[in-house]
Amino acid sequence: MTGQNLTGYTYQPATTKPFTAINPVTGKQLEGDFYPANHAHVNHAVQLATQAFPVYKNIAKDKKAAFLRAIATEIEALGDVLIERASAESGLPLGRIKGELGRTCGQLRLFADVVAEGSWVEAVIDSPLPNREPMPRPGLCKMLVALGPVVVFGASNFPLAFSVAGGDTASALAAGCPVIVKAHPAHPGTGALVAEAIRKAAEQTQMPDGVFSLLFDDGFSVGEALVKHENIKAVTFTGSFKGGMAIYQLAQQRREPIPVFAEMGSINPVVLLPGILQNKAEDIAAQYAGSITLGAGQFCTNPGLLLGVASPELARFEMALAKAISAVPPSTMLTPGIYQNFKHLSAELLQQKGIEVIGTGAEPESDGDNQAGALVAKVKAVDFIANPALSQEVFGPYSLLVVADTVEQLKQLIDVLDGQLTVTIMGETDELSDHKELIEKAGNKAGRIILNGVPTGVEVCAAMQHGGPFPATTDSRFTSVGTSAIRRFVRPVSWQGWGQDFLPDELKDGNPLNIWRMVDQQWTKD
Amino acid sequence: MTGQNLTGYTYQPATTKPFTAINPVTGKQLEGDFYPANHAHVNHAVQLATQAFPVYKNIAKDKKAAFLRAIATEIEALGDVLIERASAESGLPLGRIKGELGRTCGQLRLFADVVAEGSWVEAVIDSPLPNREPMPRPGLCKMLVALGPVVVFGASNFPLAFSVAGGDTASALAAGCPVIVKAHPAHPGTGALVAEAIRKAAEQTQMPDGVFSLLFDDGFSVGEALVKHENIKAVTFTGSFKGGMAIYQLAQQRREPIPVFAEMGSINPVVLLPGILQNKAEDIAAQYAGSITLGAGQFCTNPGLLLGVASPELARFEMALAKAISAVPPSTMLTPGIYQNFKHLSAELLQQKGIEVIGTGAEPESDGDNQAGALVAKVKAVDFIANPALSQEVFGPYSLLVVADTVEQLKQLIDVLDGQLTVTIMGETDELSDHKELIEKAGNKAGRIILNGVPTGVEVCAAMQHGGPFPATTDSRFTSVGTSAIRRFVRPVSWQGWGQDFLPDELKDGNPLNIWRMVDQQWTKD
């Protein structure tokens, strides 16, 4: 682990002032110097990615799949070295990191399967109609092809699963796009280890030089230079609203605007219907105390807002939630900056009109060690509606219970909400039909609508939508989790009038790749 | 035809200073006063669309299809009144307008079929895995749902097929989005007639008030107010680069940025390979003289750039093209503004270094009647590469032949091209394999790659991609022609843990709508 920037297959000699990683548990520096990339590194990485693109895009699907699988194998081969470093750099427990490593390698292999299976290109074939009047129709066929070099910003809250070889990298590589990762400065050592695994996998499977690069920076200039580079064709980001919008605006101000898939703030509202509270107030409180404080509340799908109608049952829920929260020990946050932000933002919110604390977790022992105590507050609907500040995301173990006077007011609450990754309805089956309008309104605000569950825990599957209306994400039409994430990095291309020899295999007569295709309006493997 | 703005079902009393349409053939005003919408009309149209959205979105698919079919029927019922008005306002011959009316109604009925068939929602179902270790997987299912109210800017060059009830309106309505059309000021009477047909069809099929509105403006303020309105969720535009980018930037500067599907400039390069010129120089010249001057060259897919390698065959092609062009009579352009722009821009280009006129069509009789004569020029590759001004679109009957010294230079020419709607390769089958790299490079620049055809004539089918890399369109991932155009107006939503009663029919067990769905990774109608 030299802390050097990796452009393609080559580690670049250091020229800049290094930075180090901090262990958020101890507040101490971890070993290893990391060197912010310079201008030449940025340009070299993009130039290599540009050259690699036409080669990598056209590599046979089984070879791309082998590359993705080799990355997973190489990451697993890092073993405890990786797990311990990722834990030390993030403050996340070893068990959580082990689970995340499993998910990361699972994602890589899932996308390998998607690529090897091949149907993801959505091949469409319209046969020629030589006898059509007044004009014959030429044969037309279409499939998805890779966009070009992609920049991935590593996320702080998933140092493996949404960082250097995370879901964004896996899906972009699967699509046929070279990837340049801007490493997250909070876990540069984890990033370096994973990047070396990718470099080895690329070499083993004979991928073109430049299919992958990793650049460090503890500031903003490397990210900015990457987003502005004319050869970059898409960007992914998971983090704050401010960070996501800065990248988005940069990308839109280019001569050629490019897609930015920024997953930003979401408070993931949970609507507690009256009937289910009568029966299960205590169970739901226990379930939600767990979801609110899972991983120190540092999930994009953390339930930051609970909505209910004033009633004895809601009072029971509130008491049970306060009790369950009081048993939650303080937990280390990812970085000192995230902890400070949590402390200030939650303190600020407690100053707002009508806010009342209803429950707190065990107090951290001191202030210096990045440990956040859980916090649940409540407010009346009328005060919530009047104060947009209460709708902002507080990244950490925090949730706000908003108490409406009536079901009608509950609907008004939903109307004022911003776009969300998820909304959850907690309700008994027999009361749902009384709340159809409310459920419809809630559904229009989110990318995923959950019944009687918790929003944390995002399945990696075909039917997952992890992306909601703005400001949850910059583009609600795409998902960053699940197999459809590959669609972010492609565009359709039509071929008109071409013979068999010059069509991609995906579009050839006889379907040599045996993929699902839509031929003359019918899905078929023939 | 009162010239009043239509908000939902209601014509609004005029309050503004009217404008009139001009017949570009005669230069004279046509009858009928049209009133720019005021601020209240804009807000009223958006408010009605917002209210109509949840209702219209959830209307059964057969009813939506009936609405689209009723629009086609009502447009056809307008008969000669519509055809004559559209011809008078656009200068396009009656025969062309008749054909365009057929295409317009064909598109509406095609989208009716798409909606009635139902598979377009791309339903995906992942069954629950209750016994999965370490955690059970909940049932998840996903489908595409409508985004919200859409603003459509009518295009000048297709007063029916890409205007008030054109492809954008048809696909947005098919997706479940209410539509507000900003009428193109060059054909307001055509717009008013078609809007009344839509109003009648909406009433007949009992659509909610606000599913459709038509607003007039001969300036920019109505369009700007619509794009900026927070309840508008997507915008379509077909026209100039300048106009498209102005709308795009407005939409990106909103608090909530929204998708803008702007189809802007494209010069649709045609690569003439050496072999086919040896055999068919004269045939290709005749074919291209027709494509360049079709509809006075006012198609987005007009071939504005011809690329070849210096040779006796290319000289034969050049001579034959000049001869064929000389036989083309002048033709009336859509508006005085478009004509003036053609005149100035083509004159400006002829001043550029190395440009040489190789052929002109018959001269127009006078300057005042918006008649453009065809024009074909040539330039050496080295001069073309050095001068980006030569790559701009000249909207009208114009094309530029760029002569490379070698095939290597031909590839360099392709490298400097901007994104395009189409690229065309003219080549004999046995020479194509000698030019694989060139064909690959060309394909990376465009949304549709044509072999041995002309780019004009855009099929409306499933495999069509009408949308290319920037600046051809603002979003190469979507098409504005063909059944996939519906995808511009939707986003995926996942349902997690819901029982049968609360899922949309598209996602219910037993597939009651009998649509294609991806169930546990397999496409099926079961």
Side-chain angles (χ1 to χ4, degrees):
Chain A
M1 200 152 69
T2 62
Q4 292 177 339
N5 291 280
L6 178 66
T7 58
Y9 285 127
T10 311
Y11 285 101
Q12 297 295 341
T15 64
T16 52
K17 194 165 156 270
F19 65 97
T20 54
I22 306 283
N23 183 329
V25 175
T26 62
K28 299 223 166 70
Q29 286 189 358
L30 288 162
E31 67 171 324
D33 282 340
F34 300 90
Y35 299 88
N38 63 27
H39 202 64
H41 300 153
V42 170
N43 285 339
H44 193 237
V46 178
Q47 189 197 335
L48 287 175
T50 305
Q51 288 164 5
F53 173 57
V55 181
Y56 181 62
K57 173 179 171 241
N58 291 321
I59 282 178
K61 64 191 180 67
D62 291 344
K63 288 194 174 172
K64 279 197 198 88
F67 173 38
L68 292 169
R69 290 201 181 97
I71 297 172
T73 305
E74 288 298 329
I75 288 174
E76 284 166 347
L78 289 165
D80 288 347
V81 173
L82 178 62
I83 290 166
E84 281 159 19
R85 180 81 195 190
S87 176
E89 288 186 328
S90 66
L92 295 168
L94 291 173
R96 145 74 194 262
I97 293 290
K98 273 183 200 166
E100 195 180 321
L101 190 142
R103 177 178 164 155
T104 306
C105 295
Q107 284 176 161
L108 286 158
R109 293 191 175 107
L110 176 68
F111 280 108
D113 291 346
V114 166
V115 170
E117 195 278 331
S119 301
W120 73 272
V121 301
E122 297 181 12
V124 178
I125 297 171
D126 287 325
S127 303
L129 300 173
N131 301 318
R132 188 183 65 170
E133 296 291 344
M135 299 258 288
R137 180 173 84 179
L140 271 152
C141 48
K142 179 169 79 166
M143 62 178 254
L144 300 174
V145 303
L147 276 181
V150 168
V151 167
V152 170
F153 283 81
S156 65
N157 63 340
F158 281 92
L160 296 173
F162 270 86
S163 192
V164 176
D168 290 337
T169 299
S171 51
L173 289 176
C177 297
V179 169
I180 301 170
V181 174
K182 154 67 179 62
H184 197 283
H187 54 261
T190 306
L193 289 167
V194 172
E196 174 60 13
I198 299 177
R199 196 194 63 77
K200 277 188 185 160
E203 258 182 6
Q204 281 161 25
T205 55
Q206 299 174 295
M207 293 295 127
D209 191 11
V211 72
F212 175 81
S213 291
L214 179 78
L215 301 179
F216 293 109
D217 192 12
D218 57 347
F220 302 106
S221 63
V222 169
E224 186 175 330
L226 285 169
V227 172
K228 284 164 121 173
H229 198 295
E230 64 173 351
N231 289 9
I232 296 301
K233 297 302 178 191
V235 178
T236 74
F237 171 85
T238 303
S240 69
F241 178 76
K242 200 177 147 195
M245 286 309 289
I247 291 169
Y248 183 81
Q249 295 296 355
L250 269 184
Q252 300 321 310
Q253 286 154 15
R254 292 164 45 124
R255 177 179 172 274
E256 174 188 348
I258 53 172
V260 172
F261 303 97
E263 196 220 278
M264 307 182 293
S266 189
I267 52 175
N268 303 292
V270 178
V271 182
L272 305 159
L273 294 180
I276 201 164
L277 285 184
Q278 275 181 20
N279 303 333
K280 298 172 190 154
E282 288 75 13
D283 293 348
I284 296 173
Q287 186 182 19
Y288 268 85
S291 180
I292 292 163
T293 58
L294 189 70
Q298 298 168 122
F299 287 102
C300 1
T301 52
N302 194 57
L305 195 69
L306 310 168
L307 309 174
V309 179
S311 68
E313 297 79 51
L314 191 67
R316 273 170 46 215
F317 169 80
E318 184 187 319
M319 278 182 59
L321 183 64
K323 193 176 161 199
I325 287 285
S326 72
V328 176
S331 46
T332 305
M333 298 200 77
L334 290 158
T335 70
I338 287 173
Y339 168 66
Q340 290 300 330
N341 202 48
F342 173 71
K343 220 176 73 168
H344 292 141
L345 201 52
S346 54
E348 213 174 279
L349 284 181
L350 295 185
Q351 304 296 315
Q352 303 293 310
K353 187 179 166 219
I355 290 276
E356 187 186 330
V357 173
I358 59 173
T360 53
E363 279 294 302
E365 285 176 22
S366 79
D367 185 58
D369 52 5
N370 305 314
Q371 294 233 315
L375 177 63
V376 184
K378 80 169 173 180
V379 71
K380 284 190 176 165
V382 60
D383 290 326
F384 181 84
I385 291 170
N387 187 356
L390 297 177
S391 295
Q392 67 190 302
E393 184 181 19
V394 180
F395 191 72
Y398 166 88
S399 197
L400 178 64
L401 174 64
V402 185
V403 183
D405 293 330
T406 59
V407 171
E408 210 44 50
Q409 202 179 30
L410 199 56
K411 282 191 263 181
Q412 287 167 24
L413 277 174
I414 292 169
D415 279 337
V416 302
L417 292 176
D418 273 332
Q420 305 289 340
L421 287 170
T422 68
V423 292
T424 302
I425 307 290
M426 301 298 288
E428 294 290 6
T429 307
D430 59 8
E431 68 181 323
L432 293 177
S433 50
D434 300 337
H435 299 283
K436 282 206 160 169
E437 194 194 345
L438 182 152
I439 295 170
E440 165 78 19
K441 278 176 186 287
N444 282 336
K445 297 284 182 176
R448 180 164 52 112
I449 318 167
I450 300 149
L451 178 66
N452 295 338
V454 290
T456 44
V458 183
E459 286 293 331
V460 182
C461 62
M464 175 51 65
Q465 173 62 20
H466 190 69
F470 188 88
T473 59
T474 44
D475 197 335
S476 67
R477 298 167 301 166
F478 295 88
T479 179
S480 59
V481 176
T483 48
S484 300
I486 197 172
R487 277 197 70 115
R488 294 177 294 171
F489 307 111
V490 290
R491 65 184 178 95
V493 171
S494 285
W495 280 258
Q496 178 177 322
W498 291 84
Q500 292 299 305
D501 290 352
F502 285 87
L503 289 175
D505 287 348
E506 286 85 347
L507 299 173
K508 282 185 173 141
D509 284 353
N511 195 8
L513 301 184
N514 191 33
I515 59 176
W516 283 104
R517 312 193 294 182
M518 194 166 78
V519 179
D520 296 326
Q521 300 296 324
Q522 300 294 319
W523 284 102
T524 172
K525 280 193 157 187
D526 293 341
Chain B
M1 200 152 68
T2 63
Q4 292 177 340
N5 292 281
L6 177 66
T7 58
Y9 284 128
T10 311
Y11 285 100
Q12 297 295 341
T15 64
T16 52
K17 195 164 157 271
F19 65 98
T20 55
I22 305 281
N23 183 329
V25 174
T26 62
K28 297 222 166 71
Q29 285 189 0
L30 288 161
E31 66 170 326
D33 283 340
F34 300 90
Y35 298 88
N38 63 29
H39 203 63
H41 300 153
V42 170
N43 285 339
H44 192 235
V46 178
Q47 190 197 333
L48 286 175
T50 305
Q51 289 164 4
F53 173 57
V55 182
Y56 181 62
K57 172 179 171 242
N58 290 321
I59 281 178
K61 63 192 180 69
D62 291 345
K63 288 194 175 174
K64 278 199 199 87
F67 173 39
L68 292 169
R69 291 201 180 98
I71 298 173
T73 305
E74 288 297 329
I75 289 174
E76 285 166 347
L78 288 166
D80 288 348
V81 173
L82 177 63
I83 291 166
E84 282 159 19
R85 181 80 195 192
S87 175
E89 288 186 329
S90 66
L92 295 167
L94 291 173
R96 147 73 195 264
I97 293 291
K98 274 183 199 166
E100 196 181 320
L101 189 142
R103 176 177 164 157
T104 305
C105 295
Q107 284 176 163
L108 286 159
R109 293 192 174 106
L110 178 67
F111 280 108
D113 290 346
V114 166
V115 170
E117 197 277 331
S119 302
W120 72 272
V121 300
E122 296 181 13
V124 177
I125 297 171
D126 286 326
S127 303
L129 301 174
N131 301 320
R132 189 182 65 170
E133 294 293 343
M135 299 260 286
R137 181 174 84 180
L140 270 152
C141 48
K142 179 169 79 163
M143 62 178 256
L144 300 174
V145 301
L147 276 181
V150 168
V151 167
V152 170
F153 283 81
S156 65
N157 62 341
F158 282 92
L160 296 173
F162 271 85
S163 191
V164 176
D168 290 337
T169 299
S171 52
L173 289 176
C177 297
V179 169
I180 301 170
V181 175
K182 153 69 176 63
H184 197 284
H187 55 263
T190 306
L193 288 166
V194 172
E196 173 61 12
I198 299 177
R199 197 193 62 76
K200 277 188 185 161
E203 257 181 7
Q204 280 161 29
T205 55
Q206 298 174 294
M207 293 295 128
D209 191 11
V211 71
F212 175 81
S213 291
L214 178 79
L215 301 179
F216 292 109
D217 192 13
D218 57 346
F220 302 106
S221 62
V222 169
E224 187 176 329
L226 285 169
V227 172
K228 284 166 124 173
H229 198 294
E230 64 173 351
N231 289 8
I232 296 300
K233 298 302 177 189
V235 178
T236 74
F237 170 86
T238 303
S240 69
F241 178 75
K242 201 178 145 194
M245 285 310 287
I247 290 171
Y248 183 80
Q249 295 297 355
L250 269 183
Q252 301 320 311
Q253 287 155 15
R254 290 165 46 124
R255 176 179 172 275
E256 173 189 348
I258 53 172
V260 171
F261 304 97
E263 194 221 278
M264 307 183 294
S266 189
I267 53 174
N268 303 292
V270 178
V271 182
L272 305 159
L273 294 181
I276 201 165
L277 285 183
Q278 275 180 20
N279 305 332
K280 297 172 189 155
E282 289 75 13
D283 293 349
I284 296 172
Q287 185 183 20
Y288 269 85
S291 180
I292 293 164
T293 59
L294 190 70
Q298 299 168 121
F299 288 101
C300 359
T301 52
N302 195 56
L305 195 69
L306 309 168
L307 309 174
V309 179
S311 68
E313 298 76 53
L314 191 66
R316 271 171 47 216
F317 169 81
E318 183 188 321
M319 278 183 60
L321 183 62
K323 193 175 161 202
I325 287 285
S326 72
V328 176
S331 46
T332 304
M333 298 200 78
L334 290 157
T335 69
I338 288 173
Y339 169 67
Q340 290 300 330
N341 201 49
F342 173 72
K343 221 176 73 167
H344 292 141
L345 200 52
S346 54
E348 213 175 279
L349 284 182
L350 295 185
Q351 304 295 316
Q352 304 293 311
K353 185 180 169 218
I355 290 276
E356 186 186 330
V357 173
I358 60 172
T360 53
E363 279 295 301
E365 285 176 22
S366 79
D367 185 58
D369 52 5
N370 305 314
Q371 295 233 314
L375 177 65
V376 183
K378 80 169 174 182
V379 71
K380 283 190 176 164
V382 60
D383 291 324
F384 182 85
I385 291 169
N387 187 356
L390 297 177
S391 294
Q392 67 190 302
E393 184 182 19
V394 181
F395 191 72
Y398 166 89
S399 197
L400 178 63
L401 173 65
V402 184
V403 183
D405 293 331
T406 59
V407 171
E408 211 42 52
Q409 202 179 31
L410 200 55
K411 282 191 263 181
Q412 287 167 23
L413 276 174
I414 292 169
D415 279 337
V416 302
L417 291 177
D418 273 330
Q420 304 289 340
L421 287 170
T422 69
V423 292
T424 303
I425 308 290
M426 301 299 287
E428 295 289 6
T429 306
D430 59 9
E431 69 181 322
L432 293 177
S433 49
D434 300 337
H435 299 285
K436 282 205 161 170
E437 193 194 345
L438 181 151
I439 294 170
E440 165 78 19
K441 279 176 185 287
N444 283 336
K445 296 284 183 176
R448 179 163 55 112
I449 318 167
I450 300 150
L451 177 66
N452 295 337
V454 290
T456 45
V458 184
E459 286 293 332
V460 182
C461 62
M464 175 51 65
Q465 173 62 18
H466 190 69
F470 188 89
T473 59
T474 45
D475 197 336
S476 68
R477 297 168 301 165
F478 295 87
T479 178
S480 59
V481 177
T483 49
S484 300
I486 197 171
R487 276 196 71 113
R488 293 177 295 171
F489 308 112
V490 290
R491 64 184 178 96
V493 171
S494 285
W495 281 258
Q496 179 177 323
W498 291 84
Q500 292 300 303
D501 290 353
F502 285 87
L503 289 175
D505 288 348
E506 286 86 345
L507 299 173
K508 282 186 174 142
D509 283 353
N511 195 8
L513 300 184
N514 191 35
I515 59 176
W516 283 104
R517 312 194 294 184
M518 195 165 79
V519 180
D520 296 327
Q521 300 296 324
Q522 299 295 317
W523 284 103
T524 171
K525 281 194 158 187
D526 293 342

